[in-house]
Amino acid sequence: MSILKIPTAKVFEPLLRPARYKGAFGGRKVLGLGTTPQLAGDVSSWAGMIMGFYFGKRTFENVARIIRR
C-alpha cells in the first residue's frame, strides 16, 4: 500500500487529522469571499417575492388541500 502525499495549505491541515467533527475557522477569508451590498429598491422587492413564492408555495398548497376537504 502506498501513501499519497498532496501539498496542502496550512489552514486546511486540521481537516486532514482524524476527528469526530471537522471545521476550519475563517472559511470565508480563506476562499477570498467578502460580503455583498444590501439589496435595495425594486431588486429587494423582487427577491422578497421570489423567496415568498419559493418557500410559501407548498404551505399554500397544503392549506388549499385542507380547505377543499
Side-chain angles (χ1 to χ4, degrees):
M1 177 195 263
S2 63
I3 296 175
L4 179 63
K5 292 188 178 186
I6 300 173
T8 309
K10 190 169 186 80
V11 177
F12 296 115
E13 286 179 4
L15 299 175
L16 300 175
R17 287 187 226 118
R20 182 172 182 179
Y21 301 108
K22 295 188 180 210
F25 292 105
R28 291 175 61 94
K29 281 195 181 235
V30 170
L31 297 174
L33 300 175
T35 58
T36 58
Q38 186 175 3
L39 295 176
D42 288 338
V43 175
S44 66
S45 298
W46 299 334
M49 285 189 289
I50 290 169
M51 285 187 285
F53 289 132
Y54 184 78
F55 291 108
K57 178 182 174 287
R58 190 67 176 165
T59 302
F60 291 125
E61 289 174 353
N62 290 338
V63 170
R65 188 177 300 121
I66 292 169
I67 292 172
R68 190 171 37 172
R69 285 185 192 173

